[in-house]
Amino acid sequence: MLKGGLIESENDKVGVRVADIDESGRVDNVHLIEIRRIISLVGAAYFFFMTVWVVPVACVITVSMMFPLMLFRMPLFNYLEHKLCGMVNAHWNAVAVFCGTTVTEYGTDLANYAEEKCLLLANHLGLLDHFVLMQSLNEKGSIRSRWMWVIYNIWKYTPLGVMWTSHGNFFVNGGASKRDNVLKSFRNHLEKSFYKYDFGWVIMYPEGSRLFLVQKSAATFAQKNNLKPLEHCVYPRTGAAHAVLDVLGPADETFKLSKCGKGEPIKYIIDATIGYHRGEVPDICDAMMGDWASVNASEFAVHYDVIPVKPEWSDENKLKEFLYERYAIKDRLLADFYKTGRFPGEQTKVQPNNYEMFFAQIFWGSLYYAHYYYWLRPLIVYAWMSFIAMF
């Protein structure tokens, strides 16, 4: 009985201790979740403010102050402006890393084409596509400093849009009724800006918009044109890509001069296929808060194919045939990716440059503060006092 009593007593003691540990563990977990939530909120607020205000304002003011250089030292202006562009991309990469994203590359190594003239065409799934490409191309030569993006018009009148405009990116309006005027403006922009500002790559999403916005109309388009319907992407609009090759494409088989006659032509088309885990496109707001739908939802992938440009693609019908074929291939690539979780070919995980991303935060914060302290704040105060004096 003594033995039995001792055993019962010990069991009771153990039971109490286990219960106490379990309850304590639950409380600790709740506290840990709350702390992480607060950190996520603070971090998201910081990066949001930096991205939509601090970096654009500091960048635009700095570029504006450099404009006099364009009158007598254009190469120096381009050099400094490209450095700023690179630091902008370093900040965007910091945002992506904060959110926990990773990018794995498949297919052709683009480092070998970084200093060539290229046209990159990517499928468009969501707003995070920009981060995928920026993170992937960040450490590849001068791409991140010398790219020209073709961007949807909705961003044009925001601080981000003003910054992108100052870099020389082009904004497009949607709608068939505006097509001819937009393409005419785009051709003029390419001819006037591409070589003047020493650009190397043109990047665009030829599908026109994000997949979920155009999928229904694209299915109708495929049916009307007797094309096989695509499930994971849509047939591209070829107008903008054709404009690039019609202005910047090779004038002949020698590939020494572009059709506009101002410099080296676009030599390669980079076919970029962006894929998300199981085809689930993350929401950018959820990503900023670290609220991923699953453990693997923050793991992004991109597959690259490099195709030498053919002079015959200055004919839009021939370019259209080529691009429709490429997007049919892209659709099959995505179908396999969503089943297997990987694209074909060797894979390379992109390694972010932590030192550069940290330096970018100091750089943009300091630059913004300098502009604000020395002339932006006095200008705001003077304007406000002048306004008050009127009453």
Side-chain angles (χ1 to χ4, degrees):
M1 291 183 64
L2 180 61
K3 184 176 181 182
L6 287 172
I7 293 175
E8 289 175 3
S9 176
E10 288 300 319
N11 283 342
D12 290 342
K13 290 179 181 179
V14 171
V16 170
R17 288 172 182 169
V18 171
D20 289 343
I21 291 171
D22 287 346
E23 186 63 29
S24 175
R26 291 191 191 98
V27 173
D28 289 344
N29 285 338
V30 170
H31 288 164
L32 185 59
I33 291 172
E34 289 177 349
I35 291 172
R36 288 177 177 174
R37 189 70 177 176
I38 292 172
I39 293 174
S40 295
L41 284 169
V42 173
Y46 165 79
F47 280 111
F48 179 80
F49 181 65
M50 286 288 291
T51 303
V52 304
W53 182 254
V54 172
V55 173
V57 170
C59 184
V60 170
I61 293 175
T62 304
V63 171
S64 300
M65 295 176 69
M66 295 191 316
F67 277 159
L69 285 174
M70 297 173 62
L71 301 176
F72 57 93
R73 291 290 298 276
M74 194 65 196
L76 178 59
F77 172 85
N78 286 335
Y79 173 81
L80 295 175
E81 196 279 334
H82 293 339
K83 290 296 183 183
L84 280 177
C85 183
M87 292 307 296
V88 171
N89 201 65
H91 168 74
W92 280 66
N93 277 324
V95 177
V97 171
F98 166 78
C99 295
T101 65
T102 61
V103 177
T104 302
E105 299 173 336
Y106 297 83
T108 306
D109 182 4
L110 296 189
N112 299 322
Y113 301 88
E115 309 309 323
E116 301 286 355
K117 305 291 186 185
C118 299
L119 168 62
L120 187 147
L121 306 176
N123 59 312
H124 200 9
L125 298 171
L127 295 178
L128 289 175
D129 296 347
H130 313 312
F131 290 91
V132 174
L133 293 176
M134 287 179 172
Q135 198 169 350
S136 173
L137 300 175
N138 185 62
E139 293 291 312
K140 293 179 175 60
S142 64
I143 297 175
R144 69 173 191 171
S145 303
R146 299 173 59 232
W147 54 24
M148 175 194 291
W149 287 71
V150 181
I151 307 168
Y152 190 56
N153 199 54
I154 191 174
W155 301 101
K156 186 173 183 178
Y157 301 106
T158 67
L160 280 172
V162 175
M163 178 181 68
W164 289 333
T165 299
S166 70
H167 175 65
N169 295 331
F170 186 81
F171 292 85
V172 295
N173 292 313
S177 61
K178 301 177 181 179
R179 183 180 188 272
D180 292 340
N181 289 333
V182 170
L183 290 178
K184 182 179 179 180
S185 297
F186 186 39
R187 283 187 170 90
N188 291 334
H189 180 77
L190 289 169
E191 187 169 349
K192 293 178 181 178
S193 301
F194 189 80
Y195 295 105
K196 178 180 179 180
Y197 296 111
D198 192 27
F199 289 117
W201 285 39
V202 179
I203 299 178
M204 65 176 67
Y205 303 105
E207 291 170 310
S209 188
R210 286 166 284 169
L211 180 62
F212 76 96
L213 293 174
V214 297
Q215 201 162 23
K216 186 175 180 180
S217 60
T220 303
F221 172 82
Q223 185 178 11
K224 287 183 178 179
N225 291 272
N226 296 318
L227 296 169
K228 181 182 178 181
L230 303 180
E231 184 178 356
H232 305 292
C233 59
V234 300
Y235 290 105
R237 301 176 184 181
T238 58
H242 174 253
V244 172
L245 296 182
D246 198 34
V247 176
L248 307 176
D252 52 39
E253 300 288 347
T254 64
F255 284 81
K256 292 183 178 180
L257 197 64
S258 64
K259 294 193 70 176
C260 69
K262 293 187 175 182
E264 185 181 356
I266 295 281
K267 293 183 178 180
Y268 301 97
I269 288 180
I270 311 297
D271 185 7
T273 303
I274 299 171
Y276 296 107
H277 181 67
R278 295 180 179 175
E280 299 170 356
V281 182
D283 180 84
I284 192 169
C285 295
D286 291 338
M288 286 292 294
M289 294 300 301
D291 292 334
W292 300 101
S294 65
V295 175
N296 298 320
S298 62
E299 298 176 2
F300 307 152
V302 57
H303 180 274
Y304 293 116
D305 271 329
V306 178
I307 304 102
V309 169
K310 295 182 180 179
E312 65 187 43
W313 290 341
S314 59
D315 181 338
E316 186 170 1
N317 288 326
K318 293 183 179 180
L319 177 64
K320 186 180 297 184
E321 291 178 4
F322 163 73
L323 290 181
Y324 284 2
E325 180 183 353
R326 288 304 311 180
Y327 269 71
I329 295 173
K330 189 186 296 287
D331 192 64
R332 294 194 294 271
L333 279 173
L334 287 167
D336 290 339
F337 174 77
Y338 295 146
K339 291 178 182 177
T340 65
R342 58 170 293 140
F343 287 115
E346 295 185 5
Q347 66 181 59
T348 304
K349 192 169 185 178
V350 176
Q351 298 297 327
N353 189 331
N354 295 320
Y355 295 106
E356 182 186 59
M357 291 185 295
F358 178 75
F359 175 73
Q361 306 312 301
I362 299 175
F363 174 82
W364 288 116
S366 302
L367 189 60
Y368 178 84
Y369 179 78
H371 285 309
Y372 175 77
Y373 182 81
Y374 286 107
W375 71 273
L376 191 57
R377 184 179 66 173
L379 182 63
I380 293 172
V381 172
Y382 174 77
W384 175 249
M385 296 302 294
S386 300
F387 175 76
I388 294 298
M390 294 172 61
F391 298 95

